[in-house]
Amino acid sequence: MVGVACLALAVTGCTDNSRAAEAGHAPRASTAPKPTSSPALTPAQAHEALARYSKTNNLARLSQDRALLDSVEGGPRYAMSLADIKEDEALPEAAVSRTDRGRTTSRPPTCTSRG
């Protein structure tokens, strides 16, 4: 088994195409799309998109609306926000003491004096 793995690694080793150039062969052209000279969004469109995202995200977090939150977040960010909502729902009503960035928490702010 180890011998097969070593053979596979040796056969599929990486190359920098220097041998192909020495042999007179050109390296293959990239299939990646060429960058465009204009931005994907204008500054006004970007501002509008960020404002819409912020408004929707804040509303979803304050109302703890999972479906609305799912419309603006995804992947690990959505999973963390969903965990925040589940944590808040599990807390007794009396334990919820303040709002921190749109989510409630039972941890009061802490102040430390430096002397």
Side-chain angles (χ1 to χ4, degrees):
M1 188 62 97
V2 174
V4 173
C6 291
L7 179 61
L9 288 173
V11 171
T12 61
C14 297
T15 180
D16 63 359
N17 289 328
S18 60
R19 291 185 189 146
E22 290 171 3
H25 301 295
R28 292 189 309 169
S30 172
T31 58
K34 302 284 185 215
T36 60
S37 59
S38 61
L41 298 173
T42 65
Q45 289 171 322
H47 184 268
E48 181 183 329
L50 287 172
R52 185 175 52 248
Y53 164 79
S54 295
K55 181 180 178 181
T56 305
N57 191 40
N58 290 339
L59 178 62
R61 288 176 151 278
L62 286 172
S63 63
Q64 297 189 342
D65 184 337
R66 290 173 169 83
L68 187 58
L69 190 62
D70 188 35
S71 72
V72 292
E73 290 186 357
R77 177 71 249 170
Y78 177 71
M80 290 186 328
S81 295
L82 192 58
D84 289 341
I85 290 172
K86 288 178 181 179
E87 177 186 19
D88 292 344
E89 290 173 346
L91 292 173
E93 195 66 31
V96 178
S97 62
R98 69 181 183 96
T99 301
D100 181 21
R101 293 186 189 162
R103 75 181 274 270
T104 54
T105 179
S106 61
R107 287 168 263 165
T110 57
C111 298
T112 57
S113 61
R114 296 177 188 217

